[in-house]
Structure formats: C-alpha cells, structure tokens
Amino acid sequence: MEKENAIQKKVIFSGIQPSGQLTIGNYLGALKNWVKLQDEYECFYCIVDMHAITVKQEPKELRQRTLEVLAIYIAAGIDPEKNTLFIQSHVPQHAEGAWLLNCNTYMGELSRMTQFKDKSQRYGQNINVGLFDYPVLMASDILIYQADLVPVGHDQKQHLELTRDIAERFNSAYSPTFKVPDPYIAKVGAKIMDLQEPTKKMSKSSDNPNSYILMMDPPEVIRKKISRAVTDSIGVVNYTDDQPGIKNLIDILSTIKGTTSEEVVKTYEGIGYAQFKKDVGEAIVEELAPVQDKVKELVADKKYLESVYKAGAEKASYIANKTVRKMKKKIGFIQQ
Ligand code: TRP
C-alpha cells in the first residue's frame, strides 16, 4: 500500500461552468495549461453544471453548452484516456459531500465571499440559496477527490482559501480525512483581460460582446473584435501597466506563440497599433481554427461524447465515494 502511494501521481481537480460560451480567456488561461499537466498528474476535469444553475439557465442551452464544453476540453488537447473528464451532476457525491460540509461551514464565512457579493448585486432578482452556498459545493468538488492541487484563476483564490479552512476544520473536528489542497499557479499562461475594459478579467458573462472573444467566434468576428480592442494614444507597443490594453494583446500573442512579452515588444519596435492588432487577430484565428473544427466534429458525435462522460463519471464516482463514505462514518452515520 505504501509503495503504491509512493508512486502515485499528485491529484489535480478543476472545473469550468457551462454557463456561457467559453472565451479565449478560458482557453489561454486555463485549458492550454491543463493540457500540459496531463502526463505528470492525475487530473479530474469537471464540467460544473450544478454550479451553473446558481444563475438562471435556459435548459436547452445548458444541455447544449455542457456538451460543447466537453467537446472543447477534448479539442483543446485534454485526452479523455489520460484524464477523468466528467459532468458534475453525474456524480451525486458532490452534492452529498457539500451537505456534510455545509454543516461545518459558517454563514459569516460565506457572507464574506466577494464573488457572492458581486453576484448578488448583479443578479439581485435571484439571490438564491445555491448562490450563497456555491463555495461549499466547490469545496466538496475538490475535497472528495483528495486533490493536491487546484489550478484556478485569481478570482477563485478566496474560494480555495475557504476550501482549505473547511478541510482543516473537518480534519481537526473528526480526524484527518481530507488532503488540504494548494492552489496551482501556472508558470506560463496569462490572465486574459477584457478587450474593452482591460483592467478587468475577460468574462463570458460580460454584457458587451466586444469585450471578449469566444472559442467559437468565426474568423471575421475575431478580427473585428481585436481591431476594436481598447488601447491608448501612446502609440508604442510596450509591456507596461500604463498600457493595459496593449499589454493584454501582447499577453494573448505571446501565449499563442509561446514566446515572451519582451520578444513581442522587440518585434513591434517602430510598428504601429494597426499592424500589431492585425497580427494578433490573425494569430488567434489561426490558433482557434483547428480547435473549432474539432469541436464541431465532436459535437456532432453525441455517441462518442456520451462514452467519454459515462466512463468519466464512473471513474470519478468510485474515488468520490470512498471519501464520502469516510466522511459519513466519521460524522457518526450508520454505515450501509
Ligand atoms: N468556481 C469556479 C469558476 O467559476 C468553477 C469551479 C467549480 C471550480 N468547482 C471547482 C474550479 C473546483 C476549480 C475547482 O471558475
């Protein structure tokens, strides 16, 4: 047993909500990094549909988007044979674990979550209990797989901190049950910003479509959105916080090309924004074209997608069940 543990890979868990179409922010900031982790780690990549319904979703669209996100995972290079790809609602232990963790989480902690505060302003008509409880479901996602590492963006750090607090609290109230997960900070991979307000993170939930580029945007739309991206009047391609729009475009280009920001700056010495933007647009079009083709192909093959998410759920629930059984036993529930 000990020997087995010694050679076991570290576990990674991450997820994306199927609550809107994915952007190049998801792709360049998350998915491309996930691909790099698949050989070194045991990865669980989930489509968190139960998180998505904390905000109103049209059932037909939710169904379509869930499959599309799965197709995008695969098209981006996440190999279903090497990783566990699955849909959150197919593994009921997520909800079960969340309930058990709920009883070990305080109202005060959840009230302090900035995402909850932001979303309750945004969705004032629908501040449902799920929206409040969102971080506990996320903690359950992570803890039931005994994840070592969680790749998340800056906006999810607070949720991960809370996950660690809940895990430590449970471990000391009962006995060691959970691994206390660490955030995984990617060495490369940029945080892609909003094209219209480049000091904000690019988000699929923005009201202005010009502020993001969707994974499935056609080439002419991509070119147009990049040409309209907000820049500045300085006129020099420089990598500085004083030029957040240009900085963001440099990040996009260097992430796609696998180069450094300095190299991009050098390449564009003495060259104007128009040409620079044109090149950025072209680079995105070229990068996305094969992925888009693959997504279309996969979405048309429902049988294949079904085989992937079914096998994924089976593998995931086997692992998740072990932890949830442990939790129940420690809490004092009678074992079945
Ligand atoms: N809350 C995350 C986001 O919006 C999505 C998510 C749900 C997640 N459960 C997770 C991310 C577990 C990492 C681990 O980005």
Side-chain angles (χ1 to χ4, degrees):
M1 186 63 202
E2 239 167 45
K3 211 166 158 202
E4 202 179 279
N5 276 338
I7 54 163
Q8 247 173 25
K9 292 178 176 173
K10 285 199 169 181
V11 175
I12 282 199
F13 185 98
S14 201
I16 294 181
Q17 298 188 56
S19 55
Q21 296 194 54
L22 299 199
T23 70
I24 56 161
N26 299 110
Y27 178 68
L28 299 175
L31 295 173
K32 262 176 97 93
N33 281 318
W34 294 5
V35 174
K36 293 188 202 133
L37 304 172
Q38 60 189 357
D39 293 312
E40 200 179 326
Y41 299 96
E42 173 75 32
C43 303
F44 292 85
Y45 294 131
C46 187
I47 299 155
V48 290
D49 54 351
M50 298 202 296
H51 278 105
I53 61 162
T54 56
V55 166
K56 257 244 155 330
Q57 302 294 332
E58 188 58 47
K60 187 164 168 257
E61 281 173 22
L62 179 61
R63 217 170 278 131
Q64 272 171 4
R65 277 202 227 104
T66 301
L67 291 179
E68 190 176 271
V69 174
L70 178 62
I72 290 175
Y73 280 6
I74 301 168
I78 300 169
D79 183 346
E81 302 289 325
K82 287 187 192 160
N83 306 276
T84 307
L85 306 186
F86 69 107
I87 298 168
Q88 187 185 31
S89 63
H90 290 178
V91 181
Q93 285 84 1
H94 289 247
E96 202 178 0
W99 179 258
L100 304 177
L101 297 178
N102 269 335
C103 302
N104 291 278
T105 307
Y106 299 111
M107 298 287 287
E109 290 178 297
L110 295 183
S111 311
R112 283 196 290 276
M113 294 294 116
T114 52
Q115 185 170 294
F116 172 69
K117 290 190 225 167
D118 291 348
K119 285 194 178 173
S120 14
Q121 274 197 338
R122 213 182 141 104
Y123 306 104
Q125 298 304 306
N126 181 24
I127 308 177
N128 62 73
V129 179
L131 194 64
F132 187 65
D133 200 29
Y134 179 115
V136 180
L137 178 59
M138 180 163 160
S140 174
D141 293 343
I142 296 165
L143 299 177
I144 61 177
Y145 296 97
Q146 305 288 347
D148 296 277
L149 295 167
V150 184
V152 284
H154 185 73
D155 62 325
Q156 296 298 314
K157 286 244 177 79
Q158 196 186 26
H159 288 163
L160 196 58
E161 271 306 311
L162 178 71
T163 301
R164 290 169 55 89
D165 290 346
I166 297 173
E168 278 165 358
R169 182 176 308 140
F170 194 101
N171 285 350
S172 70
Y174 299 99
S175 62
T177 308
F178 301 120
K179 275 243 179 76
V180 180
D182 286 309
Y184 180 87
I185 314 291
K187 287 179 209 85
V188 286
K191 177 178 175 190
I192 306 302
M193 309 303 276
D194 186 298
L195 297 175
Q196 295 300 314
E197 289 175 71
T199 50
K200 274 182 19 192
K201 182 181 164 181
M202 183 182 284
S203 166
K204 57 193 177 223
S205 47
S206 165
D207 297 326
N208 180 357
N210 278 326
S211 57
Y212 52 72
I213 289 177
L214 299 175
M215 284 295 295
M216 299 307 284
D217 270 346
E220 59 283 7
V221 173
I222 295 174
R223 292 188 186 104
K224 204 167 68 198
K225 286 181 178 175
I226 291 295
S227 77
R228 288 184 185 164
V230 167
T231 55
D232 52 69
S233 55
I234 297 174
V236 180
V237 177
N238 243 333
Y239 194 72
T240 141
D241 287 336
D242 298 335
Q243 294 171 255
I246 289 293
K247 185 174 183 227
N248 188 36
L249 296 179
I250 294 175
D251 276 331
I252 292 174
L253 192 60
S254 63
T255 309
I256 291 176
K257 298 279 187 201
T259 60
T260 62
S261 48
E262 291 84 13
E263 285 173 289
V264 175
V265 169
K266 230 185 187 154
T267 310
Y268 287 92
E269 238 171 45
I271 298 174
Y273 288 174
Q275 183 63 45
F276 174 55
K277 281 179 154 186
K278 223 172 169 180
D279 293 353
V280 175
E282 233 33 67
I284 300 172
V285 168
E286 261 174 50
E287 171 81 10
L288 291 186
V291 183
Q292 294 181 342
D293 287 348
K294 185 83 191 158
V295 170
K296 286 177 196 150
E297 201 181 291
L298 287 166
V299 164
D301 193 351
K302 295 267 185 308
K303 275 264 169 320
Y304 172 70
L305 290 180
E306 186 182 326
S307 74
V308 170
Y309 65 66
K310 278 198 166 157
E314 202 175 314
K315 238 176 101 188
S317 56
Y318 176 77
I319 311 278
N321 198 41
K322 282 202 213 173
T323 304
V324 172
R325 277 181 69 88
K326 237 197 252 179
M327 291 166 77
K328 287 158 85 172
K329 189 170 168 199
K330 294 192 185 202
I331 286 172
F333 289 175
I334 303 285
Q335 297 273 278
Q336 274 172 299

